[in-house]
Amino acid sequence: QVRLVESGGGSVQAGGSLRLSCAASGLSYNFGTYCMGWFRQAPGKEREGVGVIYTTGSSSFFAASVKGRFTISRDNPKNTVYLQMDSLKPEDTAMYYCAASRMSCGSVWGLYVYWGQGTQVTVSS
């Protein structure tokens, strides 16, 4: 079975950094052929697309509030995608999920077939 496992979440003070990892296993195709997305969901809010990294290695961010602070990268031999989060703010507090798609990349969560269990990020002021 396909499994995506996020890790690296935790509690941090505003201005701090966290690096989230998402390790994939059980995929039917080469990990490098998947678009990998990061999403987050805060209590009482809709799931929000944070950003994606394409099969080419290029990345795009859909949440304007994270641009310039977050970085997405991938290590295909390790079947892993990363989300480096710097200058964290309390409004970044959310459950963070990674997702995989062999379809078009985008901010719409419905494009993604496989999802991780999520990792909690809590930023205190």
Side-chain angles (χ1 to χ4, degrees):
Q1 65 276 9
V2 175
R3 185 176 68 168
L4 303 181
V5 180
E6 301 97 334
S7 62
S11 298
V12 65
Q13 294 184 30
S17 298
L18 286 173
R19 187 193 191 210
L20 306 185
S21 299
C22 173
S25 62
L27 294 171
S28 297
Y29 303 94
N30 191 304
F31 176 77
T33 68
Y34 291 82
C35 171
M36 299 298 298
W38 283 100
F39 294 78
R40 66 184 182 183
Q41 187 166 23
K45 300 182 68 176
E46 288 281 297
R47 189 177 306 184
E48 174 187 36
V50 176
V52 298
I53 185 164
Y54 302 93
T55 58
T56 61
S58 298
S59 60
S60 296
F61 291 96
F62 302 107
S65 62
V66 311
K67 292 180 179 178
R69 298 189 295 118
F70 290 11
T71 303
I72 303 175
S73 61
R74 66 192 299 163
D75 188 339
N76 290 338
K78 294 183 178 180
N79 292 351
T80 301
V81 63
Y82 304 95
L83 179 64
Q84 177 68 43
M85 305 184 293
D86 298 317
S87 301
L88 284 164
K89 303 175 180 180
E91 50 263 45
D92 294 318
T93 295
M95 281 289 292
Y96 283 73
Y97 302 88
C98 69
S101 174
R102 296 195 79 232
M103 307 299 291
S104 298
C105 290
S107 62
V108 181
W109 61 265
L111 295 172
Y112 298 85
V113 177
Y114 305 112
W115 291 83
Q117 61 188 359
T119 185
Q120 178 68 40
V121 172
T122 302
V123 184
S124 60
S125 60

